[in-house]
Amino acid sequence: MLVIGKIESILRERRGLRGKVGVVLTMGALHQGHLDLVKAAREDNDHVIATIFVNPTQFAANEDFASYPRDLDRDLDLFEKAGVDLVFTPTPEMMYPPGFETHITVEDVSQGLEGQARPGHFRGVATVVNKFFNILQPTTAYFGQKDAQQVVVIRHMVRDLNMPLKISVVPTLREPDGLAMSSRNVYLKPEERAVANVLYRSMRAASAAYEAGDRHPNALRKAARAVLDAEPQVHTDYVAICDPRTLLGVHQPSDRPVLILVAAKLGKPRLLDNCLLPFHLNNRADLSAILGV
Ligand code: AMP
């Protein structure tokens, strides 16, 4: 596995690659969920390129950019064992040299949900992802369902700007109790960790209502809310029932798949989770067909 820090060097390496190139973008502090993206990329491609870059422009001033967990040696070891061929590890100064002034704004789908809680976040994400796509020229880029709104933003960008690549969506990997794996889970205190699967439990409650035939978004939201509200440490930010392609709120019962998205603060971290209903659609093929491009 080759580890490359400089943009000129990765451009040179990329020019030498023939065949399909799968790309996995990360901020490091790797867990098995990241490695599932690598596994999917390995299955589909001749070469796999991964990035490790904590992108300053997607963090607001009050967020955890400086303290975001970083462990490069461990991450490189995990990537190597997972079968990554090339790791690109640029610095913020390389990605944003003096005079940098071009940004990508994906309009409506960046506004609500996480976009409302984190103004400017998706502008930073879309811009850095666009830069990585230009540098790495992926055949397919792999994104986690975990960050569903991010996938929707990137899908819009790729379609709107005619980027010649595919987006594949990999299901959220969970701890045995259902908590979605996340680099920020290390912030949870033991007593918080003990209840942190409440987001998953809330979505399963909505799923149970759905399976019982209740398709009204208010009923689905109510079923999820009841589970969240039973945990006093958990401060729910939103439970949203949305169209998975537009992220517009769904207000009437529908037989089309819906995306339930949950965000809540538990101690220091803000926890996110989501799933498609009906629940059996949360597999790579259906997720990629519904959320990908
Ligand atoms: P991050 O390092 O948090 O920016 O995440 C890098 C990529 O890994 C993104 O596409 C995430 O959606 C994805 N990812 C994060 N957590 C998980 C998870 N639990 N399961 C699957 N993919 C994930």
Side-chain angles (χ1 to χ4, degrees):
M1 185 177 79
L2 219 53
V3 182
I4 294 177
K6 292 213 168 78
I7 296 175
E8 311 85 89
S9 313
I10 193 86
L11 287 172
R12 194 173 335 109
E13 286 299 323
R14 176 64 187 92
R15 274 196 295 274
L17 298 180
R18 294 286 164 267
K20 292 184 191 168
V21 174
V23 163
V24 174
L25 306 178
T26 82
M27 300 204 298
L30 300 180
H31 51 67
Q32 194 58 43
H34 295 113
L35 301 178
D36 265 15
L37 302 187
V38 173
K39 184 161 171 262
R42 198 63 280 168
E43 283 164 15
D44 299 349
N45 297 281
D46 302 298
H47 311 277
V48 176
I49 307 179
T51 65
I52 300 173
F53 180 60
V54 185
N55 175 35
T57 66
Q58 69 191 66
F59 288 78
N62 62 337
E63 292 182 347
D64 59 344
F65 172 71
S67 63
Y68 192 83
R70 290 167 170 88
D71 190 344
L72 185 62
D73 289 343
R74 177 178 171 277
D75 289 346
L76 294 178
D77 192 44
L78 289 169
F79 270 154
E80 175 141 46
K81 289 186 176 128
V84 172
D85 301 304
L86 277 173
V87 184
F88 180 40
T89 58
T91 62
E93 294 71 26
M94 292 172 195
M95 294 294 275
Y96 304 107
F100 185 94
E101 57 173 322
T102 306
H103 294 92
I104 301 274
T105 302
V106 182
E107 305 281 351
D108 290 353
V109 294
S110 296
Q111 296 298 319
L113 307 168
E114 286 312 285
Q116 189 165 340
R118 307 181 68 186
H121 172 68
F122 288 116
R123 178 184 192 249
V125 169
T127 302
V128 81
V129 169
N130 188 5
K131 285 172 69 73
F132 281 129
F133 285 174
N134 288 334
I135 295 168
L136 303 174
Q137 304 280 313
T139 313
T140 305
Y142 294 78
F143 288 89
Q145 173 192 7
K146 166 84 193 333
D147 301 289
Q149 189 173 8
Q150 168 170 285
V151 173
V152 175
V153 168
I154 300 301
R155 179 171 63 78
H156 269 270
M157 176 180 84
V158 165
R159 284 163 52 114
D160 292 351
L161 300 183
N162 306 97
M163 297 181 175
L165 56 95
K166 282 194 279 208
I167 300 294
S168 185
V169 185
V170 178
T172 302
L173 194 73
R174 301 177 179 284
E175 302 289 353
D177 70 347
L179 171 66
M181 288 190 185
S182 163
S183 304
R184 290 189 172 99
N185 288 349
V186 296
Y187 297 144
L188 291 167
K189 296 193 183 121
E191 64 274 19
E192 293 159 357
R193 174 64 190 83
V195 298
N197 71 349
V198 65
L199 281 76
Y200 180 68
R201 287 189 277 121
S202 76
M203 299 190 313
R204 291 312 305 230
S207 171
Y210 189 96
E211 296 304 330
D214 208 341
R215 300 289 150 87
H216 202 293
N218 289 346
L220 301 174
R221 230 185 344 258
K222 203 168 149 203
R225 272 274 175 189
V227 174
L228 289 157
D229 291 347
E231 298 293 352
Q233 299 178 70
V234 174
H235 302 283
T236 304
D237 183 0
Y238 57 77
V239 176
I241 310 284
C242 296
D243 178 295
R245 291 187 82 78
T246 62
L247 290 186
L248 292 174
V250 174
H251 302 291
Q252 298 300 326
S254 164
D255 282 329
R256 308 240 309 265
V258 294
L259 188 67
I260 175 167
L261 304 108
V262 185
K265 193 136 169 92
L266 176 55
K268 186 172 169 207
R270 195 184 144 72
L271 302 180
L272 298 185
D273 213 331
N274 70 85
C275 69
L276 287 171
L277 299 178
F279 199 79
H280 67 80
L281 294 177
N282 294 286
N283 62 76
R284 198 173 145 210
D286 286 320
L287 283 164
S288 297
I290 294 170
L291 291 173
V293 59

